[in-house]
Amino acid sequence: MEKHEHFMRFALAEAAAALQAGEFPVGCVLVRGDQVLASARRRNSTGPDTNELDHAEILVLRAFLQAAPGADCRDIAVYSTMEPCLMCFATLLLSGIRRFVWAYEDVMGGGTGLPLKQLPELYAGMRVELVSGVLRNESLILFQQFFRCHAYWGDSSLARYTLAQEATP
């Protein structure tokens, strides 16, 4: 767990920077062995360029693959401050990533519960490692700060769930 906490702190730093910029506080890093390969944070969750493509997981994967075209991702782990959504989870799976570590559960759109064995052949044989709740409280605090000040997903089940959670100082 100590290793997971070490790398999650990098993701939390990205999330804090996203929050500071008024963005949804998701930070993400890709790790191979003991090395952070790439990091990114959520962008364009607010403002004139608002979209649902610039998730931290997608941006970190793009950054890594631009720096290392054709890289084999099978031994890479992804660390994210929030459980990857269905879009991000599927994209990372199709890129070869099979280890997922996250801090805070996405009760509204988390994709890691996808029943891979029940899906078509492309997904059915995939074996993944899922680790949840790593530095959850630290991530929860960032999401609570965001939902108290921003409208993005403000009236969602995720916002209500998050604001109802008790964080420890």
Side-chain angles (χ1 to χ4, degrees), residues 67-167:
D72 184 351
C73 294
R74 290 177 294 182
D75 61 346
I76 291 175
V78 61
Y79 287 79
S80 184
T81 57
M82 178 172 268
E83 176 185 3
C85 72
L86 187 56
M87 172 185 73
C88 293
F89 186 58
T91 300
L92 293 162
L93 284 173
L94 290 173
S95 297
I97 294 174
R98 299 292 185 269
R99 276 177 273 150
F100 298 82
V101 182
W102 66 90
Y104 190 64
E105 63 276 11
D106 184 350
V107 298
M108 185 176 74
T112 64
L114 188 66
L116 296 175
K117 291 179 183 179
Q118 296 175 17
L119 296 177
E121 172 183 353
L122 179 62
Y123 298 97
M126 293 181 179
R127 303 293 176 254
V128 297
E129 177 185 344
L130 304 173
V131 180
S132 64
V134 176
L135 299 178
R136 180 188 184 275
N137 188 67
E138 289 85 339
S139 189
L140 168 62
I141 290 168
L142 294 176
F143 287 110
Q144 287 177 332
Q145 290 173 356
F146 180 84
F147 284 128
R148 286 184 186 118
C149 301
H150 299 279
Y152 179 77
W153 293 116
D155 191 30
S156 67
S157 59
L158 177 61
R160 289 188 298 277
Y161 173 82
T162 300
L163 292 171
Q165 299 295 302
E166 190 168 326

